[in-house]
């Protein structure tokens, strides 16, 4: 299965394991809650989906790479304790609490979240002394003599033996006590993630053309060569930073992340063309509605890879605009809710938020003071909640950015001269959001103008619409703001898919009739 399906399976498992009956007991008792064993190639996203699952299920996450630990840190250190048995005193060996189990308890104490995932990575790569302990962990949910706290679900991950020489095979007794999910690399699924995480357009458009380069592992006389999903994501991050610093990114730099020399050289060559196309086709100018007949003619007669790359450039620039609109909308919408709550509190104190003057018998100084105090109270509560959510891993990067902006804005408004000033400043934010939406909508229209001028209503437009549909931020923007030409081409795409499906069914029926002897 692909990583997206594996994520859904794990979420379903968590929902099932955490379901309680009318007495507050887990419907599936802990002893019958099989640990999930996630097996798949390195760098495919096993660790990342655990962070996503914890956020989406609103539960905790404690993550360990077990190969970084010794037997003592995982199980605990032995010590001697005196115990009485049948009237006699004996010296008995006990163990300090496992560092891993202690981390679960600490996470519960810091976040207040009592249920979660204990994720153990590289579980089948442990040393010989650790192997029996890992088997006990999977079978009995214990480290040493300490039990994993109730409500914490075990998920373990490992690599198949072809990717790691240190792998140890699990026996049937162990495998019969786990819920095993085998994961394979899937570019289309990863691409959805890449859009959401705003990976560099050059990486996405290159892999669209060279899909077989997305994930490759090859053993040669010179060693193992590999290109992985993790490598492409990390390369995307350094590419953004190198662009900001004005530094070149050549095959040697690419090879530090994509450790497959042929693929690294190929991407470095493509990157040069990517930047060249950006200059030659004046993409930013095109999205402002300015493009020359010469540029249109050149694109019309360009080779497939060149046309595809230019479309990738346009999509990349639009995705930046869509994501900025999304974050701005999240910021303004959430802030509106908070200010509404503050306004209601002011009204409850007989201080009118509708005007800068106070209510009967209340001075304007008191109104201003009350507004500032309530905004400060809201900010402090938000900061406290933010720190707890961040500690618990409940915020992704986008949500964290939005929350920080809200906290900063509320802090600036604490010195406002009454709620009127707060409202006025918020209105400016709302107007700015609408202006940003309008500018982005114009750029989307200009993109359609540019592509229609170059390709008419050909397959390139269908591909463009398909990419807009599959991107998280683009799909959100169009859903919120509409786009007539998107709907036009999307209807055409759906019609074409229906026609294709009908023709396929007709051909299947013909084959069946021929096989049955009907001519």
């Amino acid at each position: 299965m692909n990583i997206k399906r594996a994520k859904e399976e794990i979420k379903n498992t968590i929902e099932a394991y955490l379901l309680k009956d009318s007495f507050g007991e887990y419907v599936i008792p802990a002893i019958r809650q099989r640990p999930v064993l996630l097996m798949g190639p390195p760098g495919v996203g096993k660790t990342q989906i655990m962070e996503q699952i914890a956020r989406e299920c609103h539960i905790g996450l404690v993550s360990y790479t077990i190969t970084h630990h010794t037997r003592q840190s995982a199980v605990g250190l032995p010590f001697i304790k005196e115990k009485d048995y049948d009237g006699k005193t004996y010296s008995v060996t006990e163990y300090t609490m496992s560092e891993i189990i202690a981390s679960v308890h600490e996470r519960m104490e810091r976040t207040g979240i009592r249920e979660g995932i204990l994720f153990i990575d590289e579980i089948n790569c442990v040393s010989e002394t650790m192997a029996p302990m890992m088997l006990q962990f999977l079978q009995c949910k214990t480290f040493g003599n300490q039990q994993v706290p109730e409500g914490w679900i075990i998920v373990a991950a490992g690599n198949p033996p072809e990717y790691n020489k240190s792998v140890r095979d699990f026996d049937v007794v162990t495998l019969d006590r786990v819920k095993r999910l085998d994961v394979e690399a899937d570019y289309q699924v990863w691409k959805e993630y890449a859009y959401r995480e705003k990976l560099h357009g050059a990486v996405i458009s290159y892999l669209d053309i060279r899909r077989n380069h997305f994930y490759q592992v090859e053993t040669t006389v010179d060693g193992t060569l590999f290109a992985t999903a993790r490598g492409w994501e990390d390369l995307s991050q350094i590419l953004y930073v190198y662009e900001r610093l004005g530094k070149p990114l050549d095959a040697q730099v690419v090879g530090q992340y994509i450790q497959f020399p042929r693929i690294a050289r190929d991407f470095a060559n493509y990157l040069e063309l990517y930047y060249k196309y950006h200059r030659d086709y004046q993409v930013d100018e095109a999205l402002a509605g300015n493009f020359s007949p010469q540029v249109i003619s050149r694109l019309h007669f360009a080779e497939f890879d060149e046309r595809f790359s230019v479309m990738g450039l346009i999509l990349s620039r639009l995705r930046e605009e869509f994501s900025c609109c999304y974050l701005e909308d999240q910021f303004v919408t959430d802030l509106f809710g908070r200010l509404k709550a503050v306004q209601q509190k002011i009204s409850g104190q007989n201080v009118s938020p509708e005007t800068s003057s106070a209510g009967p018998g209340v001075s304007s100084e008191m109104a201003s003071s009350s507004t500032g105090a309530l905004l400060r109270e809201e900010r402090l509560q938000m900061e406290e909640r933010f720190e707890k959510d961040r500690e618990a891993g409940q915020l992704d990067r986008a949500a964290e950015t939005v929350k920080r902006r809200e906290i900063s804005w509320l802090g600036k408004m604490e010195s406002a001269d009454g709620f009127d000033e707060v409202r006025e400043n918020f209105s400016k934010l709302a107007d700015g959001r609408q202006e940003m939406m309008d500018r982005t909508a114009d750029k989307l229209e200009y993109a359609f103008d540019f592509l229609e001028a170059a390709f008419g209503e050909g397959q390139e437009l269908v591909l463009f619409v398909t990419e807009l549909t599959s991107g998280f931020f683009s799909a959100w923007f169009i859903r919120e703001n509409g786009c007539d030409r998107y709907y036009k081409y999307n209807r055409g795409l759906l019609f074409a898919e229906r026609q294709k499906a009908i023709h396929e069914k007709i051909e299947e029926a013909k084959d069946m009739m021929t096989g049955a002897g009907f001519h």
Side-chain angles (χ1 to χ4, degrees), residues 208-428:
D208 275 334
I209 299 170
R210 305 276 196 274
R211 294 196 176 201
N212 61 319
H213 290 176
F214 167 60
Y215 202 104
Q216 279 200 28
V217 178
E218 186 176 306
T219 302
T220 70
V221 292
D222 298 319
T224 302
L225 311 178
F226 55 92
T228 69
R230 181 191 294 126
W232 289 114
E233 183 171 5
D234 292 345
L235 176 63
S236 170
Q237 295 298 318
I238 198 68
L239 182 52
Y240 276 126
V241 175
Y242 269 42
E243 286 178 344
R244 290 183 62 181
L245 296 174
K247 295 181 179 295
L249 193 143
D250 57 18
Q252 290 187 340
V253 179
V254 177
Q256 296 163 18
Y257 297 87
I258 306 302
Q259 297 182 46
F260 203 121
R262 176 172 56 82
I263 296 176
R265 288 193 300 270
D266 193 49
F267 177 76
N269 292 335
Y270 175 82
L271 189 61
E272 288 186 16
L273 288 174
Y274 185 85
Y275 290 139
K276 182 177 183 295
Y277 294 152
H278 191 281
R279 295 189 301 270
D280 291 352
Y281 287 100
Q282 303 168 5
V283 171
D284 291 328
E285 284 294 307
L287 291 179
N290 305 316
F291 45 87
S292 67
Q294 293 81 5
V295 168
I296 294 298
S297 178
R298 176 179 174 179
L299 183 57
H300 179 77
F301 292 105
E303 295 293 330
F304 171 78
D305 283 8
E306 187 168 337
R307 284 180 285 151
F308 201 89
S309 297
V310 172
M311 193 180 304
L313 280 163
I314 292 172
L315 285 164
S316 178
R317 289 293 293 114
L318 286 174
R319 280 195 296 269
E320 291 176 23
E321 298 291 333
F322 295 145
S323 64
C324 287
C325 288
Y326 176 82
L327 290 176
E328 192 68 18
D329 183 72
Q330 294 291 303
F331 167 61
V332 173
T333 301
D334 200 28
L335 189 59
F336 174 79
R338 296 186 184 281
L339 293 180
K340 190 174 181 180
V342 171
Q343 184 184 39
Q344 290 171 347
K345 290 178 182 178
I346 293 174
S347 299
Q349 294 181 358
N350 295 321
V351 179
S352 172
E354 301 301 328
T355 65
S356 57
S357 60
V362 182
S363 68
S364 59
E365 290 80 5
M366 289 176 62
S368 176
S369 174
S370 176
T371 297
L374 289 171
L375 286 171
R376 183 173 185 274
E377 179 185 332
E378 184 72 21
R379 176 180 61 82
L380 292 174
Q381 289 177 354
M382 188 177 178
E383 283 181 344
E384 183 180 359
R385 183 72 261 171
F386 172 76
E387 291 301 328
K388 285 186 176 180
D389 286 345
R390 194 159 65 103
E391 174 70 24
Q394 297 295 303
L395 301 174
D396 60 17
R397 191 167 14 181
E400 190 170 323
T401 300
V402 169
K403 300 299 181 189
R404 288 185 185 279
R405 283 189 66 191
E406 289 180 54
I407 291 170
S408 175
W409 194 90
L410 289 172
K412 292 175 182 177
M413 289 298 104
E414 288 175 21
S415 58
D417 185 19
F419 201 82
D420 264 358
E421 185 178 341
V422 176
R423 183 190 294 104
E424 183 180 345
N425 279 277
F426 177 78
S427 294
K428 291 177 182 178

Side-chain angles (χ1 to χ4, degrees), residues 1-18 34-39 45-54 56-57 59 61 116-117 119 153-157 179-183:
M1 67 178 67
N2 59 49
I3 199 71
K4 184 177 181 180
R5 174 64 190 277
K7 177 182 172 181
E8 289 303 313
E9 287 292 329
I10 296 173
K11 288 178 68 175
N12 290 340
T13 299
I14 289 171
E15 186 177 350
Y17 285 178
L18 297 183
R34 289 190 172 202
V36 176
L37 179 60
L38 192 61
M39 298 294 292
K46 298 187 294 294
T47 303
Q48 285 183 328
I49 65 166
M50 301 317 304
E51 297 170 358
Q52 297 168 17
I53 289 168
E56 293 168 18
C57 294
I59 58 177
L61 173 67
I117 301 167
F119 178 62
I153 294 157
I154 297 170
V155 180
K179 184 174 182 177
R180 176 167 175 161
L181 305 178
D182 291 299
V183 182

Side-chain angles (χ1 to χ4, degrees), residues 98-126:
S98 158
E99 177 186 324
I100 296 173
I101 299 294
S103 294
V104 174
H105 287 286
E106 287 171 6
R107 180 56 58 93
M108 289 192 289
E109 290 293 324
R110 289 198 302 268
T111 65
I113 298 176
R114 310 302 298 178
E115 298 174 325
I117 301 167
L118 175 54
F119 178 62
I120 306 295
D121 200 7
E122 297 184 7
I123 194 167
N124 59 342
C125 298
V126 295

Side-chain angles (χ1 to χ4, degrees), residues 296 469 491:
I296 294 298
T469 304
R491 283 194 298 269

